[in-house]
Amino acid sequence: MSDSCAKVLADKNLTVVFIESATAGYLAHRFSVCPYSGDVLMGGLVCYDVSLKKNVLNISSQLIDQYTPESLEITRELVKKSKTMFDADLHIACTGLLKSGGSETEDKPVGTFFYCIGYDSEIYDFRRFCSGPPEQKLRSINSLICKSIIEVVNK
């Protein structure tokens, strides 16, 4: 799915940057092995640990305490902060619960992911659930994000 998404971006002369928490660089990696990687991929930042969200991306502790590091609100903030740091057409941020040990609850179980796509002065929000072992969840969320990117840029 990354290949077809990267081709759509290349055909539209669009670049992308990833701010990744739960996916820990997986999204950027998948794009890096695409035939169009040199045309579209600017790079990214892995902010798996909350300290990087706070100290590198300047997400406020209050916001993190209020919503948890794995939330739509924090994911939106990651997109906003990335826009000030990276010159790209699309800013993609992803947080979530790949495995236990985060902020999982009954309403937000392990397998819940949040991702936001910043494009053309808009931020598009998504919440998805992926099941299976971690590797399967990564493949699933990558596919979902790629499909959403294609939908967003084709609007």
Side-chain angles (χ1 to χ4, degrees), residues 63-79:
L63 202 62
I64 290 171
D65 291 344
Q66 182 177 359
Y67 295 107
T68 77
E70 303 91 8
S71 63
L72 191 56
E73 293 82 4
I74 298 304
T75 310
R76 282 183 68 82
E77 284 299 306
L78 295 175
V79 166

Side-chain angles (χ1 to χ4, degrees), residues 19 53 62 73 128:
I19 308 300
K53 292 175 182 75
Q62 286 177 304
E73 293 82 4
R128 298 289 187 265

Side-chain angles (χ1 to χ4, degrees), residues 121-136:
S121 74
E122 297 287 333
I123 298 178
Y124 301 87
D125 301 331
F126 302 87
R127 176 185 173 138
R128 298 289 187 265
F129 181 80
C130 301
S131 59
E135 296 81 9
Q136 182 179 338

Side-chain angles (χ1 to χ4, degrees), residues 18-27 45-50 53 57 69-71 74-75 78 92-98 113-114 138:
F18 293 97
I19 308 300
E20 300 185 62
S21 182
T23 51
Y26 184 80
L27 304 173
L45 177 71
V46 173
C47 56
Y48 194 80
D49 188 78
V50 71
K53 292 175 182 75
L57 292 160
E70 303 91 8
S71 63
I74 298 304
T75 310
L78 295 175
I92 315 296
C94 181
T95 66
L97 299 158
L98 183 65
F113 289 88
F114 304 94
L138 287 172

